[in-house]
Structures are given as structure tokens and as C-alpha cells.
Amino acid sequence: MVEITAPIGGKIFQVHVAVGDQVELDDEVIVIEAMKMETPVMAPQAGTVKEIKAAVGDNVSENQVLMVIE
């Protein structure tokens, strides 16, 4: 199990996966918007999305857990 954390603080702009989805290494799973720039968040390993802890429009801080992959 691995936790995906926010690389920067900002607002969740897009969530590309749902609980139960299969992801591959380096799949784009979330996009964070900060200072009018979009930052993609990639899956650090292949697996199944077990939990999503942030939704579109949520403000997140750096290193906040966004998603759990198993």
C-alpha cells in the first residue's frame, strides 16, 4: 500500500480515477492548480485505487495524503 501526497499546496483541479480503478506506474491520477499553473500528480506504482481523500475544489497542503493505492 502506498499513499500519494500533494507535491505542492493548491486546489484539486481534476481527479482522473475512482475507487477500484487500476492504475499503472506514472499514470496521471490528480491535477493540482496553484498560482494559475496545473501540476499533475502521478501514480508512484501500479495497483488498485483503495481510497481517495480529496475531491475537485478541495484546498490541499503540501504533503497532504490525496490517495491510497494498493
Side-chain angles (χ1 to χ4, degrees):
M1 182 165 41
V2 65
E3 293 180 333
I4 298 174
T5 58
I8 60 169
K11 185 178 277 192
I12 300 297
F13 182 67
Q14 294 176 322
V15 178
H16 293 292
V17 296
V19 173
D21 285 356
Q22 295 290 320
V23 296
E24 298 297 325
L25 175 66
D26 290 334
D27 279 357
E28 186 175 294
V29 293
I30 289 180
V31 178
I32 298 174
E33 183 180 49
M35 298 180 291
K36 298 185 181 181
M37 294 184 64
E38 295 175 9
T39 302
V41 180
M42 311 304 226
Q45 72 178 37
T48 303
V49 177
K50 287 295 181 190
E51 188 176 359
I52 299 174
K53 298 184 176 218
V56 172
D58 287 356
N59 287 310
V60 297
S61 55
E62 186 176 354
N63 297 322
Q64 180 176 334
V65 176
L66 305 176
M67 186 176 299
V68 177
I69 295 178
E70 188 171 76

